[in-house]
Each structure stands twice: as structure tokens, then as C-alpha cells.
Amino acid sequence: MKKLVKILLFIFISLNIFGVEEGEAEKPIIPMVPVLPALPNEKTPIETKTVFMGMKTEIVVPLEIISDIEIQAMVIDEQEIEVPFEIEFNKTPDRDKTYKIGYTQTEIDIDEDGKVDTYIYSNTNIDSKILKDNKVVIQGKNISKEGYHEKIVYITVETHD
């Protein structure tokens, strides 16, 4: 058995399988990394490249109300008054029947006596830049308190399917 180990060891050494010559110590493996010169007060040149990139973006401007609406009316006794108004938007909608108008209130008790006396009628679908055929109807028979009454109603643009 000892003879077999010696023969195999002799064959490995003669074929230089271990990569070590006889009488030589094993050399450390050093990776091939480029080394920048370290000269004092000298700048190392850096390679620069110009790269051109293309970009496409899609910008969507939301549909917004750009008009302020102020309605003033004088109601005498039991008179019923209709006040028409228009709503203007910043652009024409992209698609028909996609946007609708919303009000915080459409039935209002303007004098706060418990009876609804003011109604807002409007087309809910927005299909043009100016929404026409809107009106406020004030029923004088339901107003019991005399004087100047004010109410703020907020209008929103909503999307629907």
C-alpha cells in the first residue's frame, strides 16, 4: 500500500498536477485588478461618455370648473322665481358621458325655517365646455323669514362608468 501511494505521488509530481515545481513553495493567487497610479498632485483622467435617452410622457389635465356662480334674486310674497345659470369648465371633456356634475345640496332651506324652498336643477352629464340648462328655483310660498339669506353650495366634477 505504501508503494502505491508513493507511485501515485510521483506521478502527480511529474505531471505537475498540483501546479507546484519541486522545491518551490505554493504561490498566492493575485487577482488581476487594474491599479490607478498614485502620483502626488496629479489628477487621474476619467473616461466620459455622452448618452442620449428618449422619453415620452402623457400629461392629463383634469376637468375643472373655472367659473364662479353667484345667484341673487328678490322674492316677493309667494312668487316662484327661476334663475338660469351656466357652468364653464377648463376644457371640453375627452369622452361623452364620462364626467358628471355633483352638488353638495340640491334641495335647500334658504331661510332655515324647516321647509325646503330652493331647488337646483341641472343636467348631470358633462358633454361640452359650457354646461347650459341649469336653473335654481326659489318658491316664495315656503319662505317664512323676511330678510337677506345666503347659502354656499359646492359643485364637484366626478367620473362615472
Side-chain angles (χ1 to χ4, degrees):
M1 184 74 163
K2 283 186 180 184
K3 284 186 180 184
L4 183 61
V5 172
K6 284 184 183 180
I7 292 173
L8 285 174
L9 189 59
F10 177 76
I11 292 172
F12 285 125
I13 291 173
S14 64
L15 292 176
N16 199 9
I17 291 179
F18 293 116
V20 178
E21 299 278 335
E22 275 189 84
E24 249 185 78
E26 206 173 310
K27 294 180 183 177
I29 300 172
I30 300 173
M32 297 300 292
V33 177
V35 179
L36 295 174
L39 301 174
N41 298 327
E42 284 208 24
K43 296 180 181 176
T44 306
I46 298 176
E47 185 178 330
T48 60
K49 293 183 181 181
T50 303
V51 178
F52 292 100
M53 294 176 53
M55 182 184 304
K56 292 182 181 181
T57 60
E58 182 179 347
I59 298 172
V60 177
V61 177
L63 188 64
E64 297 175 336
I65 299 170
I66 61 172
S67 61
D68 289 333
I69 303 162
E70 185 175 331
I71 297 174
Q72 294 183 2
M74 181 185 293
V75 180
I76 301 171
D77 292 330
E78 295 185 6
Q79 186 178 21
E80 184 172 302
I81 297 177
E82 288 186 12
V83 182
F85 67 94
E86 295 178 348
I87 302 171
E88 186 177 357
F89 301 96
N90 61 334
K91 65 178 186 172
T92 304
D94 307 352
R95 294 173 277 164
D96 288 343
K97 298 184 181 175
T98 303
Y99 300 98
K100 67 178 185 175
I101 199 101
Y103 297 90
T104 54
Q105 291 179 289
T106 56
E107 296 181 354
I108 304 164
D109 178 16
I110 198 84
D111 60 349
E112 298 178 355
D113 64 350
K115 293 184 210 168
V116 176
D117 46 46
T118 306
Y119 300 90
I120 299 174
Y121 297 103
S122 178
N123 184 5
T124 56
N125 289 325
I126 303 169
D127 54 1
S128 64
K129 187 173 178 175
I130 298 175
L131 187 63
K132 299 179 180 183
D133 300 328
N134 308 300
K135 64 181 175 179
V136 174
V137 176
I138 304 169
Q139 295 177 342
K141 64 182 177 182
N142 292 338
I143 297 176
S144 61
K145 294 182 182 176
E146 190 176 307
Y148 180 77
H149 305 289
E150 185 176 315
K151 190 70 169 182
I152 297 174
V153 176
Y154 294 99
I155 305 172
T156 58
V157 175
E158 302 167 357
T159 58
H160 65 86
D161 299 324

PDB file of all heavy atoms in Angstrom, residues 1-10:
ATOM      1  N   MET A   1       0.816  -1.192   0.000  1.00  0.00           N
ATOM      2  CA  MET A   1       0.000   0.000   0.000  1.00  0.00           C
ATOM      3  C   MET A   1       0.853   1.246   0.000  1.00  0.00           C
ATOM      4  O   MET A   1       0.511   2.204  -0.690  1.00  0.00           O
ATOM      5  CB  MET A   1      -0.889  -0.086   1.233  1.00  0.00           C
ATOM      6  CG  MET A   1      -1.851   1.016   1.328  1.00  0.00           C
ATOM      7  SD  MET A   1      -3.094   0.722   0.123  1.00  0.00           S
ATOM      8  CE  MET A   1      -4.323   1.722   0.645  1.00  0.00           C
ATOM      9  N   LYS A   2       1.954   1.221   0.747  1.00  0.00           N
ATOM     10  CA  LYS A   2       2.845   2.366   0.780  1.00  0.00           C
ATOM     11  C   LYS A   2       3.464   2.586  -0.585  1.00  0.00           C
ATOM     12  O   LYS A   2       3.657   3.718  -1.001  1.00  0.00           O
ATOM     13  CB  LYS A   2       3.946   2.146   1.822  1.00  0.00           C
ATOM     14  CG  LYS A   2       3.501   2.363   3.228  1.00  0.00           C
ATOM     15  CD  LYS A   2       4.706   2.259   4.140  1.00  0.00           C
ATOM     16  CE  LYS A   2       4.295   2.464   5.572  1.00  0.00           C
ATOM     17  NZ  LYS A   2       5.409   2.463   6.488  1.00  0.00           N
ATOM     18  N   LYS A   3       3.748   1.508  -1.270  1.00  0.00           N
ATOM     19  CA  LYS A   3       4.345   1.621  -2.597  1.00  0.00           C
ATOM     20  C   LYS A   3       3.358   2.280  -3.562  1.00  0.00           C
ATOM     21  O   LYS A   3       3.728   3.097  -4.385  1.00  0.00           O
ATOM     22  CB  LYS A   3       4.762   0.244  -3.117  1.00  0.00           C
ATOM     23  CG  LYS A   3       6.008  -0.272  -2.486  1.00  0.00           C
ATOM     24  CD  LYS A   3       6.405  -1.548  -3.167  1.00  0.00           C
ATOM     25  CE  LYS A   3       7.668  -2.088  -2.534  1.00  0.00           C
ATOM     26  NZ  LYS A   3       8.148  -3.265  -3.198  1.00  0.00           N
ATOM     27  N   LEU A   4       2.077   1.950  -3.444  1.00  0.00           N
ATOM     28  CA  LEU A   4       1.048   2.515  -4.323  1.00  0.00           C
ATOM     29  C   LEU A   4       0.905   4.021  -4.094  1.00  0.00           C
ATOM     30  O   LEU A   4       0.813   4.795  -5.047  1.00  0.00           O
ATOM     31  CB  LEU A   4      -0.297   1.815  -4.079  1.00  0.00           C
ATOM     32  CG  LEU A   4      -1.461   2.245  -4.964  1.00  0.00           C
ATOM     33  CD1 LEU A   4      -1.171   1.970  -6.421  1.00  0.00           C
ATOM     34  CD2 LEU A   4      -2.733   1.573  -4.533  1.00  0.00           C
ATOM     35  N   VAL A   5       0.932   4.462  -2.846  1.00  0.00           N
ATOM     36  CA  VAL A   5       0.833   5.881  -2.533  1.00  0.00           C
ATOM     37  C   VAL A   5       2.053   6.618  -3.062  1.00  0.00           C
ATOM     38  O   VAL A   5       1.943   7.704  -3.623  1.00  0.00           O
ATOM     39  CB  VAL A   5       0.670   6.077  -1.011  1.00  0.00           C
ATOM     40  CG1 VAL A   5       0.757   7.549  -0.655  1.00  0.00           C
ATOM     41  CG2 VAL A   5      -0.632   5.488  -0.525  1.00  0.00           C
ATOM     42  N   LYS A   6       3.230   6.032  -2.930  1.00  0.00           N
ATOM     43  CA  LYS A   6       4.454   6.671  -3.424  1.00  0.00           C
ATOM     44  C   LYS A   6       4.430   6.779  -4.936  1.00  0.00           C
ATOM     45  O   LYS A   6       4.842   7.785  -5.497  1.00  0.00           O
ATOM     46  CB  LYS A   6       5.685   5.875  -2.965  1.00  0.00           C
ATOM     47  CG  LYS A   6       6.026   6.087  -1.514  1.00  0.00           C
ATOM     48  CD  LYS A   6       7.293   5.340  -1.168  1.00  0.00           C
ATOM     49  CE  LYS A   6       7.618   5.487   0.306  1.00  0.00           C
ATOM     50  NZ  LYS A   6       8.838   4.790   0.681  1.00  0.00           N
ATOM     51  N   ILE A   7       3.920   5.785  -5.622  1.00  0.00           N
ATOM     52  CA  ILE A   7       3.865   5.807  -7.087  1.00  0.00           C
ATOM     53  C   ILE A   7       2.888   6.888  -7.551  1.00  0.00           C
ATOM     54  O   ILE A   7       3.165   7.657  -8.469  1.00  0.00           O
ATOM     55  CB  ILE A   7       3.468   4.418  -7.630  1.00  0.00           C
ATOM     56  CG1 ILE A   7       4.587   3.421  -7.354  1.00  0.00           C
ATOM     57  CG2 ILE A   7       3.181   4.489  -9.121  1.00  0.00           C
ATOM     58  CD1 ILE A   7       4.237   1.992  -7.693  1.00  0.00           C
ATOM     59  N   LEU A   8       1.735   6.964  -6.908  1.00  0.00           N
ATOM     60  CA  LEU A   8       0.744   7.984  -7.291  1.00  0.00           C
ATOM     61  C   LEU A   8       1.281   9.387  -7.023  1.00  0.00           C
ATOM     62  O   LEU A   8       1.096  10.297  -7.825  1.00  0.00           O
ATOM     63  CB  LEU A   8      -0.561   7.767  -6.528  1.00  0.00           C
ATOM     64  CG  LEU A   8      -1.428   6.598  -6.987  1.00  0.00           C
ATOM     65  CD1 LEU A   8      -2.615   6.419  -6.058  1.00  0.00           C
ATOM     66  CD2 LEU A   8      -1.892   6.794  -8.398  1.00  0.00           C
ATOM     67  N   LEU A   9       1.964   9.559  -5.897  1.00  0.00           N
ATOM     68  CA  LEU A   9       2.546  10.848  -5.578  1.00  0.00           C
ATOM     69  C   LEU A   9       3.622  11.216  -6.588  1.00  0.00           C
ATOM     70  O   LEU A   9       3.708  12.369  -7.018  1.00  0.00           O
ATOM     71  CB  LEU A   9       3.124  10.812  -4.161  1.00  0.00           C
ATOM     72  CG  LEU A   9       3.582  12.128  -3.580  1.00  0.00           C
ATOM     73  CD1 LEU A   9       2.430  13.122  -3.532  1.00  0.00           C
ATOM     74  CD2 LEU A   9       4.132  11.931  -2.181  1.00  0.00           C
ATOM     75  N   PHE A  10       4.414  10.260  -7.017  1.00  0.00           N
ATOM     76  CA  PHE A  10       5.458  10.502  -8.019  1.00  0.00           C
ATOM     77  C   PHE A  10       4.826  10.901  -9.347  1.00  0.00           C
ATOM     78  O   PHE A  10       5.302  11.799 -10.029  1.00  0.00           O
ATOM     79  CB  PHE A  10       6.338   9.245  -8.169  1.00  0.00           C
ATOM     80  CG  PHE A  10       7.381   9.388  -9.223  1.00  0.00           C
ATOM     81  CD1 PHE A  10       8.522  10.142  -9.015  1.00  0.00           C
ATOM     82  CD2 PHE A  10       7.218   8.794 -10.475  1.00  0.00           C
ATOM     83  CE1 PHE A  10       9.467  10.306  -9.986  1.00  0.00           C
ATOM     84  CE2 PHE A  10       8.166   8.951 -11.449  1.00  0.00           C
ATOM     85  CZ  PHE A  10       9.291   9.710 -11.214  1.00  0.00           C
TER      86      PHE A  10
END
